[in-house]
Amino acid sequence: MTDDVRRIGDNIRAARLYRGMSLEVLAGLVGRTKGWLSRVENGHLRLERRSDIRALAEALQVSPSDLMGEPAPIIRPKERAYGDAVRLREVLLDTALDDPPDVPARPLSALTDLIEGRIRRQRRTSDYPGLGVTLPPVVAELHIHAAAGDEAERAAALRLLVETCTAATFMLRNLGQVDLAWIAADRAGHAARLLDDPVMTAAAAFARAHSRPAAALSRPMRDAARTAGRLEPHLGDDRTAHEVYGMLQLSAALACQVQADHAAAARHVEEAERTAARIGEQPESSPGDGWQSFGAANVGVWRAMLAVEAADPETAVDAASRVDVEALPSRTRRAALFIEKARAFAMLGKPREAVRELRQAEKHAPVKVYKNPLVRDLVADLHDRAVNRDLRGLAWRMNLA
């Protein structure tokens, strides 16, 4: 491995040595054997489940992000090729809703057109280099309208800030910039609180829940079910409210699955499915993709991911195979589907099938493959065990060989 980002096993060993723990002690704290932990640290056993990563992080008194190799420095040329976070970082750190930047601001109507046009296309196609150029000035100028506009303009700017800061959260998270992702999500939350809108408040809570790895089980992630419960009385016939509610139910399912509460996870997924059935997929006349691509197809992607987390690869492959890929409007969500299939095939001891799915994921959203710590460990593990041309090429593009 030539990449200077450690594999998860390397990070576990480094944290264990830093804490002065022996293999026996750490293994005992997580209810595993010394041999199991040794294989993990030496890269001979891949950690498939977020629950294992969380247990090790808790025993080592570190963040799961530390074990997963996040965040990565943003000034490396190879990192900036995936999307430049430098300008976005400056905007987030140098502005506040009560202290907007001293720069010219375009009319709010022009910013709205940009968000609903170019930025929406960039989000749909996972164009992070493009978003790295387009998002920062828009976010900065929305702060100005939110601070200085009249009541209607202020409300519109705050809503757009929730949307753009949520977009920034996921861009930064996918680039490995977890700390900045949290700041962006927190800014969305501040804007939502000023709006005093239950739908926007819940949407911002979702962003905070996913600004850090799920294995961290951050408080917003643990509270996803309660957030959905607070939103439920306000659903009415608002499609966006239903989409936010459905995504919160899926988040609650993941939180339960990481904690090995499979029955509760199943209940939350079923509620998300009922919600998706009520509203259907996005109508052809809709100009957008739905909030976070929520719909029956995306619920299927989550079902596959939750089955992998439950160490049930057969169910994961079956769930993924039932998903209508064309119904997923975002390349990121399509890549997520192929990644979960790859992880499931690897668990089943089918490396060729795993590589095939990873190649599909790479075609749809390369950064989802290149920057995902679980995928990086999977590719490195496959490369160590059996090399073919497709796998060599993928490992090379990920700087793992």
Side-chain angles (χ1 to χ4, degrees):
M1 181 176 67
T2 61
D3 198 286
D4 48 3
V5 176
R6 293 172 178 262
R7 287 177 61 171
I8 295 173
D10 296 326
N11 291 334
I12 292 169
R13 180 190 294 111
R16 177 176 62 77
L17 295 175
Y18 176 75
R19 294 297 182 195
M21 289 185 188
S22 66
L23 281 166
E24 292 90 343
V25 169
L26 180 56
L29 289 173
V30 297
R32 297 285 191 169
T33 66
K34 175 183 175 182
W36 177 87
L37 181 57
S38 177
R39 292 176 66 203
V40 169
E41 289 191 351
N42 290 322
H44 299 313
L45 180 64
R46 189 174 61 256
L47 289 178
E48 297 283 5
R49 299 188 297 171
R50 295 170 178 85
S51 54
D52 287 330
I53 297 171
R54 174 176 174 259
L56 286 162
E58 286 185 347
L60 290 164
Q61 300 178 46
V62 298
S63 165
S65 298
D66 297 323
L67 300 185
M68 298 173 78
E70 301 174 349
I74 62 177
I75 59 173
R76 301 175 188 162
K78 63 185 177 186
E79 302 297 340
R80 296 181 70 172
Y82 304 135
D84 189 348
V86 173
R87 178 62 181 134
L88 192 51
R89 178 188 184 189
E90 292 174 356
V91 169
L92 290 171
L93 296 183
D94 290 347
T95 64
L97 284 166
D98 58 356
D99 185 19
D102 185 18
V103 297
R106 289 164 286 187
L108 189 58
S109 58
L111 298 178
T112 302
D113 289 343
L114 194 56
I115 292 166
E116 294 180 351
R118 184 189 304 171
I119 289 176
R120 180 169 289 163
R121 289 192 299 272
Q122 289 170 337
R123 294 175 67 185
R124 171 182 275 192
T125 58
S126 303
D127 180 7
Y128 294 137
L131 281 171
V133 174
T134 311
L135 262 182
V138 170
V139 171
E141 292 167 44
L142 286 173
H143 279 75
I144 296 171
H145 289 288
D150 59 29
E151 184 176 355
E153 186 177 63
R154 181 172 177 270
L158 288 171
R159 286 180 179 276
L160 291 173
L161 266 174
V162 174
E163 179 178 349
T164 52
C165 286
T166 297
T169 298
F170 283 93
M171 170 189 162
L172 291 165
R173 166 68 199 283
N174 285 326
L175 291 175
Q177 300 300 317
V178 179
D179 293 347
L180 286 178
W182 177 264
I183 293 171
D186 191 60
R187 191 67 52 85
H190 190 184
R193 289 192 296 274
L194 291 175
L195 275 171
D196 194 24
D197 180 317
V199 178
M200 292 294 99
T201 298
F206 175 87
R208 289 198 300 276
H210 290 276
S211 63
R212 296 169 63 191
L217 271 183
S218 63
R219 188 171 65 180
M221 178 66 80
R222 297 194 306 271
D223 288 347
R226 283 191 286 272
T227 304
R230 288 192 293 269
L231 176 59
E232 189 172 11
H234 305 281
L235 294 180
D237 59 357
D238 183 340
R239 183 182 182 92
T240 299
H242 281 81
E243 292 168 341
V244 174
Y245 175 77
M247 292 305 297
L248 285 167
Q249 290 290 348
L250 293 172
S251 303
L254 178 56
C256 291
Q257 199 77 300
V258 171
Q259 298 174 89
D261 189 347
H262 306 310
R267 290 194 296 272
H268 288 300
V269 173
E270 288 163 4
E271 176 62 13
E273 284 186 329
R274 287 191 290 270
T275 304
R278 283 197 296 271
I279 64 175
E281 299 289 2
Q282 284 288 307
E284 291 184 5
S285 59
S286 171
D289 305 333
W291 196 83
Q292 296 298 318
S293 301
F294 181 74
N298 199 11
V299 173
V301 178
W302 280 73
R303 269 202 177 280
M305 181 262 290
L306 292 166
V308 170
E309 178 62 30
D312 186 356
E314 293 89 352
T315 297
V317 171
D318 180 67
S321 299
R322 294 173 184 270
V323 174
D324 179 3
V325 178
E326 295 302 318
L328 293 168
S330 162
R331 287 188 186 177
T332 301
R333 296 315 299 156
R334 294 182 184 188
L337 174 65
F338 293 121
I339 285 170
E340 297 309 329
K341 286 183 74 175
R343 294 179 65 205
F345 278 130
M347 293 171 75
L348 290 168
K350 298 182 176 180
R352 289 187 180 277
E353 290 84 348
V355 173
R356 180 192 68 207
E357 299 300 331
L358 288 173
R359 289 288 307 280
Q360 286 296 315
E362 183 187 24
K363 290 176 183 177
H364 283 85
V367 72
K368 286 287 287 184
V369 176
Y370 300 162
K371 303 295 291 179
N372 185 319
L374 295 175
V375 175
R376 293 183 64 80
D377 244 34
L378 171 57
V379 172
D381 183 60
L382 292 172
H383 187 267
D384 288 346
R385 294 171 185 270
V387 177
N388 61 37
R389 187 175 64 180
D390 285 344
L391 182 54
R392 279 199 303 269
L394 178 59
W396 182 82
R397 291 188 293 278
M398 296 175 71
N399 205 31
L400 293 172

